[in-house]
Amino acid sequence: AASRTTCRWGQAAGGGGMAGPGRGGADAVSAPAQGGGSAVIDMENMDDTSGSSFEDMGEMHQRMKEEEEEEEAEGEAGAGEEEDGEFLGMKGLRGQLGRQVADQMWQVGKRQASRAFSLYANIDILRPYFDVEPVQVRARLLESMIPVKMINFPQKIAGELYGPLMLVFTLVAILLHGMKTSDTIIREGTLMGTAIGTCFGYWLGVSSFMYFLAYLCNAQITMVQMLSLLGYGLFGHCITLFVTYNIHFHSLFYIFWLVVGGLSTLRMVAVLVSRTVGHTQRLILCGTLAALHMLFLLYLHFAYHKVVEGILDTWEAANMPPFQRVARDIPVVSNAVLNTTAKAIALTL
Amino acid sequence: FPGLADVSIPQDIPVEGEITVPVGSHSPDEDYSTLDEPVKDTIMRDLKAVGKKFVHVMYPRKSSALLRDWDLWGPLVLCVSLALMLQGGSADSKDDGGPQFAEVFVLIWFGAVVITLNSKLLGGTISFFQSLCVLGYCVMPLTVAMLVCRLVLLASTGTVSFIIRLIVVGAMFGWSTLASTAFLADSQPPNRKALVVYPIFLFYFVISWMILTFTPQ
C-alpha cells in the first residue's frame, strides 16, 4: 500500500492488506464446514498459497471499488433527480422518462464494462504471485532438481510466477544462442518469434493440458501451481541446453538428458503423485508429464542442431523429384547442374 | 491496516487525496507562457532535456533528473537507429537469420514493458513511463557499440575483429546494465534488488548478442 502515490482510503488499505488476512480468513471459515461434513482431509488447506486465483483477487478488488462507487452514484443520482424535476414542465413526462432510462442503461453498461476491465486488466491481481525474496527463488531453483521422497503426504507447491517467468525468458535467450551458433535457417517466421513461441507455447500449453488432465484425474492442484511446477522444471532444460549448445558432444547431451532432465522430471512426478489418489490416475498424469518434459528437451536439442540440419537437407534432396524443387534464386550454373542431375536420375529410374 | 476500517467518516466529506513527492512544482504562470514562445525555444528546450539525459547515462550518478522529467524521444531515436543498423543482409537471400527492423523494435519495446511490469509487481515505486524512459536511454552504450562494430566489420571480418567486437560489446553491455541498475534499483525495497536486476541483465544481454552476431551480407 505504501508504494502507491495516490491514496484512496478504502481501496489502498484493503487491497494491500486483504491479500493475507482475507485468504487466511476464507480458509479458516471453509475448513470447519467441510471437516464437519466428511472424513476426507481437504488437501487445499495444506498449501499456504492455494485458493487465491485471479478471479478471487479481482472480485475482492472490485467489491471494494463498487462500494465506493455506490456512495458516489447515490450522491450524483440525488443531484440529477433534482435537476430533472426542474425541467419537468419544459420537456414533458415522456422525454424525462426516456432520458432517465437511457441514463440508467448507460450507467449499468459502464459499470459492467469497467468491472470486466478492472477484473482482467488490473495488474494488482498478479501482485501476490510475485511476492518473493531472492533467497526463496534460489532455494526453489535448487529444490526443483531434488526429487522428494515422501509421496504419501501432499507436497507443498509454491504458487509463484516470478521464477518460472524468468526461467522461460532465460530459455528463450539460450535457444536464440543455440539457433545462431548452429546457423539454423528458419524458412517461415523469424528467429526471435520461433524461440519465444516455442518456449512460451510449451510453458502455457503444456501447463493447461496437464491442468486439464489433473482435473480429469482428480488431482489436487491449481492452475498457478501447475504453471509454477512446470516453470521450475525448465531449470534443468536451461542447464542442459546451455552446456550442450556450447560443447557439441552427442554422448554428453544424452548423459545430461538422462541425469538432469530425469532429476527434474522425477521431482515433478513425485509432487504430482503425492497429490493424486488412485493408481491409474497417477500413472496417466505422471506418464504424460514425464513424456512431454523429456521429449521437449530432446526436441530443443535436435531441432536446432548443425548435424541434423545437414541430414535433413540431404534427405529432402534425395526424396524430392527434381521438377518439384522450389526454385529459389538459382543462378545459371547450378541450373545446368540441376538439369544434368535430373537426366541422370531419370536414366536410373 | 485493520484499525482503519473502524474509522467513521462523515458521508458528505470525501476523504481522498494525493500523496505525491513534491519535486519542484511548476507555477501556473509557466504553463501558460510556454504557449506563446517561439517554436525554436520549445524545440531547443526539449533537445536540451534529451541531451542532459544522454549525459546522465554516460556518467551514471544517482540523480533524480532522469526520473523526474521522463520523455521517450531519446529511446525512440536510439531504438530506430539501432534497428536500422541491425537490419542486415539482402532481402532476397535465403538466409533469414538476420534480425529485421520490426523484430528489433518490438523486442526492445516489449522487453522494456515486461521489465517495467516486473519491477512494479515486485513492489517498485517508479512509474511505468519513468522506467521505460530509463531503460530506453540506457540502450545508448549498445548503440555506440553497434556503430563501432559496423566500422570494425568494414575493415576486416577475421578473428581479430571478432575479439575486438567482443570486448567492445561486452564493455558496453556492462555499462548499460550498470547505468540502468543505478537508476532502477533504488526504487525497490533493498532486499529485492537482485530480482529486478536479473531481467535487465537478460534484456541487455539479448541485445548485445544480436549486435555481436551481426554479420553484414
Side-chain angles (χ1 to χ4, degrees):
Chain A
S3 63
R4 301 186 199 208
T5 51
T6 62
C7 180
R8 302 181 110 190
W9 280 109
Q11 193 171 342
M18 275 290 271
R23 240 185 308 119
D27 279 348
V29 163
S30 62
Q34 290 179 9
S38 68
V40 176
I41 302 173
D42 187 15
M43 295 203 228
E44 286 289 336
N45 295 329
M46 302 290 184
D47 295 321
D48 51 1
T49 53
S50 68
S52 57
S53 62
F54 290 172
E55 278 74 23
D56 287 345
M57 292 303 297
E59 275 299 319
M60 273 191 273
H61 204 91
Q62 190 58 30
R63 227 177 291 143
M64 282 179 289
K65 236 193 197 169
E66 271 175 25
E67 282 171 18
E68 281 182 32
E69 276 175 19
E70 275 171 21
E71 292 175 17
E72 288 179 21
E74 275 170 29
E76 281 177 19
E81 278 171 17
E82 284 171 19
E83 284 180 23
D84 282 349
E86 288 175 15
F87 284 100
L88 184 56
M90 291 170 67
K91 295 283 183 179
L93 196 62
R94 197 184 296 169
Q96 184 200 3
L97 201 62
R99 231 189 13 253
Q100 270 190 343
V101 168
D103 254 339
Q104 271 182 355
M105 286 194 57
W106 168 252
Q107 287 292 330
V108 168
K110 196 170 84 161
R111 207 175 305 159
Q112 276 187 345
S114 79
R115 186 185 310 169
F117 182 73
S118 47
L119 182 67
Y120 290 110
N122 198 354
I123 200 177
D124 285 330
I125 304 176
L126 291 177
R127 214 177 266 269
Y129 304 120
F130 281 76
D131 193 12
V132 285
E133 307 289 322
V135 271
Q136 281 180 323
V137 176
R138 197 175 56 223
R140 282 173 196 161
L141 280 176
L142 292 174
E143 268 174 15
S144 74
M145 304 297 295
I146 303 173
V148 289
K149 293 220 175 69
M150 242 189 335
I151 56 173
N152 298 319
F153 189 75
Q155 296 295 316
K156 256 195 218 179
I157 308 177
E160 162 223 338
L161 288 181
Y162 172 82
L165 200 66
M166 289 305 130
L167 278 172
V168 172
F169 279 125
T170 312
L171 192 63
V172 169
I174 296 176
L175 213 64
L176 281 174
H177 170 62
M179 286 202 273
K180 200 68 186 189
T181 53
S182 75
D183 295 327
T184 301
I185 298 173
I186 306 280
R187 298 211 173 84
E188 286 129 21
T190 62
L191 223 66
M192 202 82 57
T194 313
I196 294 181
T198 310
C199 297
F200 268 98
Y202 170 77
W203 184 48
L204 295 172
V206 173
S207 288
S208 315
F209 178 63
M210 291 307 304
Y211 178 66
F212 169 66
L213 272 188
Y215 172 75
L216 288 182
C217 299
N218 262 336
Q220 295 289 336
I221 195 166
T222 65
M223 183 66 190
V224 176
Q225 287 172 332
M226 193 67 228
L227 281 170
S228 177
L229 191 67
L230 206 70
Y232 273 114
L234 286 176
F235 182 53
H237 283 11
C238 284
I239 298 178
T240 311
L241 289 174
F242 182 65
V243 170
T244 54
Y245 275 153
N246 294 318
I247 309 173
H248 292 285
F249 284 129
H250 269 301
S251 46
L252 184 71
F253 169 71
Y254 282 122
I255 294 173
F256 264 87
W257 180 63
L258 279 176
V259 172
V260 176
L263 275 178
S264 67
T265 312
L266 274 178
R267 165 155 181 101
M268 290 197 298
V269 157
V271 169
L272 267 184
V273 158
S274 74
R275 288 169 160 259
T276 318
V277 183
H279 282 297
T280 321
Q281 286 95 327
R282 282 178 170 182
L283 201 63
I284 296 174
L285 215 54
C286 303
T288 323
L289 183 62
L292 285 172
H293 199 241
M294 302 294 271
L295 286 176
F296 183 59
L297 186 52
L298 265 183
Y299 167 73
L300 282 181
H301 179 82
F302 282 114
Y304 308 115
H305 202 269
K306 262 192 256 211
V307 177
V308 181
E309 185 68 38
I311 293 179
L312 281 178
D313 269 347
T314 51
W315 255 351
E316 284 177 7
N319 284 346
M320 273 205 296
F323 59 87
Q324 275 183 15
R325 197 175 286 217
V326 176
R328 296 177 293 203
D329 47 347
I330 303 178
V332 178
V333 175
S334 67
N335 227 347
V337 170
L338 205 64
N339 286 336
T340 44
T341 324
K343 282 190 202 132
I345 294 180
L347 280 175
T348 51
L349 289 177
Chain B
F1 310 113
L4 279 180
D6 300 332
V7 172
S8 62
I9 302 167
Q11 291 294 330
D12 50 346
I13 302 176
V15 185
E16 189 181 327
E18 280 201 323
I19 303 177
T20 50
V21 178
V23 282
S25 53
H26 297 283
S27 60
D29 296 342
E30 280 186 25
D31 286 341
Y32 288 124
S33 69
T34 60
L35 208 54
D36 294 329
E37 66 181 7
V39 176
K40 185 170 83 90
D41 280 354
T42 315
I43 295 181
M44 285 312 295
R45 192 177 55 236
D46 281 341
L47 279 179
K48 274 200 207 123
V50 171
K52 216 172 8 169
K53 292 202 187 70
F54 276 132
V55 170
H56 272 290
V57 172
M58 285 207 299
Y59 303 110
R61 267 162 306 167
K62 286 186 176 47
S63 84
S64 59
L66 199 72
L67 293 180
R68 231 183 308 147
D69 311 313
W70 60 266
D71 75 270
L72 293 178
W73 282 114
L76 182 69
V77 165
L78 286 171
C79 181
V80 167
S81 57
L82 188 64
L84 278 176
M85 285 195 280
L86 270 175
Q87 191 178 16
S90 39
D92 54 43
S93 77
K94 63 182 175 150
D95 179 14
D96 289 331
Q100 302 304 312
F101 181 90
E103 226 177 290
V104 178
F105 204 82
V106 164
L107 169 76
I108 291 182
W109 286 104
F110 274 120
V113 166
V114 166
I115 295 177
T116 309
L117 285 178
N118 175 57
S119 82
K120 280 187 85 69
L121 282 171
L122 284 172
T125 55
I126 201 171
S127 93
F128 185 74
F129 283 109
Q130 281 172 347
S131 173
L132 275 187
C133 167
V134 169
L135 286 168
Y137 271 104
C138 290
V139 171
M140 191 192 75
L142 287 171
T143 313
V144 168
M146 183 70 215
L147 207 62
V148 170
C149 280
R150 273 224 114 146
L151 293 173
V152 168
L153 279 170
L154 277 178
S156 72
T157 50
T159 317
V160 177
S161 88
F162 178 72
I163 294 179
I164 297 176
R165 280 186 292 141
L166 183 66
I167 295 174
V168 167
V169 170
M172 293 299 168
F173 159 65
W175 196 344
S176 280
T177 313
L178 274 173
S180 60
T181 310
F183 290 114
L184 286 181
D186 274 344
S187 63
Q188 291 291 325
N191 52 341
R192 291 207 184 160
K193 287 203 205 299
L195 295 182
V196 177
V197 169
Y198 179 69
I200 300 177
F201 168 86
L202 208 58
F203 174 61
Y204 288 129
F205 181 78
V206 172
I207 299 180
S208 323
W209 168 88
M210 277 202 302
I211 292 174
L212 194 60
T213 58
F214 172 75
T215 48
Q217 297 298 325

